[in-house]
Amino acid sequence: MKADPAVQRRLLDLAEVDAELSRADHRRRTMPELAEITEAEKAVQTRRDAQVAIQTQLDDLDREVARQEKEIDAVRAREERDRGLMAGGTIGAKQLTDLEHELATLERRQGVLEDDLLELMERREAVEMDGKHAGVELAKAEEKLADAVRRRDENLTDIGTTEARRAADRAKVLAGMPEDLLAVYERRRKQKGIGAALLRARRCGACRIELDRREISRIKETPADEVLECEECGAILVRTAESGL
């Protein structure tokens, strides 16, 4: 294949643009903020789950407290009724004895229930403190996630700006480029990552391998408008005054 040496040199501009576009794409896929966001999202979810678990404990304790208070109220009501009967003076000795025994039992029962209620309230207070701590930890995790997202978005904006600018540069370079030459370039770029490179000081700018004397001699004898490819990596070799020929 033949192409004007000036057109071949434009391939170097195209390769430079494509290299920067590749770096931008690599940066988008590998920016550290992506991993940070993944970990931060896990941390946020873990802390939200912890809050849900704590709230479930609080709801269970609230139901238990309500049940305990209801039972205490029932004991107190029974005790007030018995004391009312005793104060009325209309009951016999046997019933009076029975009421006194029942009151003693009710007092003991009330004492046990109130002790249990106090323990429940103390447990609830401790769980509530855990909930406040979990809320603080969740807020920290959410703040960390928001910071990572903000930095990722800033990077994406910067990358997008770079890509748009370099895409415009690429369009300019491509203007008037021979289709057959461009096809070879694109094929090599897809295969090896670099479509064209400068032959500088007898070294391929793509694979960085120094060409042997036999290959250099062949290149020297090849017309300037002949499109050459590196025997090692297949990239189009662009010859300039820097090639050392």
Side-chain angles (χ1 to χ4, degrees):
M1 179 188 300
K2 293 184 179 295
D4 186 276
V7 173
Q8 293 188 45
R9 284 194 290 273
R10 287 173 59 192
L11 289 177
L12 297 178
D13 296 331
L14 182 59
E16 180 181 351
V17 169
D18 285 337
E20 187 165 354
L21 286 171
S22 294
R23 288 193 293 272
D25 180 64
H26 178 74
R27 181 184 171 196
R28 172 186 282 105
R29 291 183 288 104
T30 61
M31 67 176 77
E33 286 78 11
L34 297 178
E36 286 185 45
I37 288 172
T38 298
E39 291 303 314
E41 287 175 339
K42 291 179 181 178
V44 167
Q45 188 58 54
T46 297
R47 282 155 179 74
R48 284 177 179 166
D49 291 344
Q51 274 204 321
V52 170
I54 289 172
Q55 187 59 53
T56 299
Q57 290 184 59
L58 287 173
D59 292 342
D60 291 343
L61 286 169
D62 285 340
R63 283 192 292 271
E64 185 63 21
V65 166
R67 187 193 65 77
Q68 202 80 350
E69 289 176 338
K70 184 177 180 179
E71 191 168 352
I72 291 173
D73 289 340
V75 170
R76 287 173 177 169
R78 182 66 177 268
E79 183 181 1
E80 289 176 3
R81 190 206 67 166
D82 289 352
R83 292 190 185 280
L85 288 174
M86 292 176 64
T90 58
I91 59 176
K94 184 178 184 308
Q95 188 177 4
L96 179 61
T97 301
D98 291 342
L99 287 175
E100 288 175 345
H101 177 73
E102 183 175 276
L103 281 172
T105 301
L106 290 172
E107 287 178 358
R108 289 193 298 272
R109 176 61 178 162
Q110 182 176 335
V112 171
L113 291 172
E114 288 176 344
D115 288 342
D116 290 345
L117 178 60
L118 179 60
E119 182 181 348
L120 283 172
M121 296 299 289
E122 290 174 347
R123 285 170 55 194
R124 190 191 186 286
E125 183 178 357
V127 173
E128 192 172 32
M129 289 298 295
D130 290 341
K132 291 179 179 179
H133 177 71
V136 171
E137 293 302 309
L138 174 59
K140 290 180 180 178
E142 289 176 334
E143 182 179 354
K144 187 174 182 179
L145 173 59
D147 178 65
V149 169
R150 176 187 56 77
R151 286 185 282 112
R152 179 204 62 188
D153 291 346
E154 288 177 352
N155 288 339
L156 288 175
T157 298
D158 181 56
I159 292 170
T161 299
T162 297
E163 288 178 328
R165 185 178 65 251
R166 299 310 275 167
D169 293 339
R170 193 176 199 275
K172 293 178 182 178
V173 175
L174 290 177
M177 184 78 70
E179 291 186 6
D180 55 349
L181 178 62
L182 183 59
V184 173
Y185 168 85
E186 292 292 0
R187 186 163 59 250
R188 293 292 179 263
R189 186 168 71 92
K190 289 179 180 178
Q191 292 173 346
K192 302 296 182 178
I194 300 178
L198 173 65
L199 175 60
R200 176 186 286 124
R202 304 185 179 188
R203 188 182 298 272
C204 173
C207 62
R208 307 297 180 182
I209 293 178
E210 185 175 352
L211 279 62
D212 60 31
R213 291 182 179 180
R214 179 189 59 80
E215 181 64 8
I216 291 297
S217 296
R218 184 184 72 82
I219 292 174
K220 284 181 179 180
E221 295 171 0
T222 303
D225 63 348
E226 187 74 27
V227 177
L228 298 175
E229 297 179 3
C230 175
E231 287 188 335
E232 295 293 335
C233 68
I236 296 174
L237 284 177
V238 178
R239 290 166 284 173
T240 70
E242 299 179 60
S243 298
L245 301 175

